[in-house]
């Protein structure tokens, strides 16, 4: 069991809910996809971002490799009777998604948890329809303090903008834009860690 499975039942804190609202507004502003569009949130967790967007799209597929997160998400979807939200438990690095392609893909603070950034962005590109859009919210590069309370943390300490832009360009994305738009505080081991988030968005 990974720490996402263990933390799933307590994930939806007031702090996380408020942050997700800001992030969802930024994502929607950047993708501006038609309301009858089919979209994917990869690394969705408990769906905090997508629940803010559920009335904006015809179909939202929510994908995560954490069974604990998906189990909580399924319960939330049932309570909300959100028939246009489809939870999918899978690791798209080891499994193939056989559904239709998407008009937009978005995620929030998920990419830094995978080692193969290039591979993930290439998969996003391949899963989009021509003209499809992507919007990713991520942690600005930091010194490792943000995840200081996670034992044996194996992810990345955020991203430098130029590096991630280069990854997007390499796989074929165009009209790439990046902007830091959010600052927050995360309590870590008895101290407050200041962090900032940026959004990178582009078109296929």
């Amino acid at each position: 069991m990974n720490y996402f499975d263990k933390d799933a039942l307590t994930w939806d804190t007031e702090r996380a809910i408020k942050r997700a609202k800001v992030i969802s507004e930024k994502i929607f502003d950047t993708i501006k996809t038609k309301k009858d569009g089919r979209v994917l949130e990869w690394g969705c967790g408990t769906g905090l971002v997508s629940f803010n967007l559920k009335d904006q799209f015809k179909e939202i597929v929510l994908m995560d490799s954490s069974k604990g997160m998906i189990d909580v998400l399924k319960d939330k979807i049932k309570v909300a009777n959100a028939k246009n939200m489809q939870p999918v438990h899978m690791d798209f690095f080891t499994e193939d998604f056989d559904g239709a392609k998407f008009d937009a893909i978005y995620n929030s603070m998920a990419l830094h948890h995978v080692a193969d950034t290039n591979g993930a962005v290439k998969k996003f590109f391949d899963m989009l329809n021509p003209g499809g859009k992507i919007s990713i919210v991520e942690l600005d590069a930091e010194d490792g303090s943000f995840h200081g309370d996670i034992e044996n943390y194996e992810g990345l300490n955020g991203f430098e903008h130029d590096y991630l832009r280069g990854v997007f360009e390499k796989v074929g994305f165009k009209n790439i834009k990046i902007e830091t738009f959010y600052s927050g505080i995360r309590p870590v081991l008895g101290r407050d860690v200041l962090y900032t988030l940026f959004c990178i968005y582009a078109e296929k």
Side-chain angles (χ1 to χ4, degrees), residues 7-195:
D7 291 346
L9 292 175
T10 57
W11 194 258
D12 292 5
T13 63
E14 182 179 358
R15 186 190 301 269
I17 291 169
K18 288 181 177 179
R19 184 177 66 189
K21 182 71 165 57
V22 177
I23 290 173
S24 64
E25 290 171 351
K26 170 57 69 174
I27 287 173
F28 186 67
D29 183 58
T30 56
I31 58 180
K32 294 186 175 68
T33 300
K34 55 188 179 180
K35 194 161 186 175
D36 63 348
R38 183 171 188 268
V39 303
L40 167 70
E41 181 182 6
W42 172 79
C44 62
T46 63
L48 285 176
V49 170
S50 284
F51 268 97
N52 290 308
L53 301 174
K54 66 182 179 63
D55 296 326
Q56 304 299 333
F57 304 111
K58 182 178 181 180
E59 181 182 0
I60 303 177
V61 175
L62 299 102
M63 183 184 297
D64 204 290
S65 61
S66 165
K67 184 178 184 301
M69 292 289 185
I70 291 294
D71 286 345
V72 171
L73 173 61
K74 286 179 178 178
D75 289 340
K76 290 170 64 175
I77 290 174
K78 184 177 181 180
V79 169
N81 194 30
K83 299 184 183 299
N84 66 327
M85 301 179 79
Q86 176 190 347
V88 176
H89 175 224
M90 68 170 284
D91 181 346
F92 86 161
F93 285 102
T94 59
E95 303 171 66
D96 292 323
F97 181 70
D98 58 4
K101 293 190 176 185
F102 299 95
D103 299 306
I105 294 174
Y106 58 88
N107 61 67
S108 171
M109 300 179 70
L111 190 59
H112 69 260
H113 287 286
V114 301
D116 187 5
T117 304
N118 291 270
V121 175
K122 177 64 166 62
K123 281 183 174 285
F124 296 151
F125 186 86
D126 292 341
M127 294 170 77
L128 281 170
N129 288 317
K133 299 179 180 180
I134 187 168
S135 183
I136 291 179
V137 171
E138 260 302 341
L139 182 67
D140 276 309
E142 48 93 37
D143 63 5
S145 299
F146 186 86
H147 296 98
D149 56 346
I150 299 176
E151 187 176 356
N152 300 319
Y153 174 68
E154 296 179 350
L156 305 175
N157 296 323
F159 293 97
E160 296 286 354
H161 293 191
D162 288 345
Y163 166 75
L164 202 53
R165 179 189 292 274
V167 172
F168 270 55
E169 290 175 341
K170 184 177 180 180
V171 304
F173 279 111
K174 59 185 180 181
N175 299 326
I176 303 166
K177 297 180 181 179
I178 306 177
E179 57 182 317
T180 295
F181 71 99
Y182 180 89
S183 63
I185 293 174
R186 182 173 189 263
V188 179
L189 301 177
R191 68 187 184 97
D192 290 339
V193 173
L194 178 66
Y195 66 94

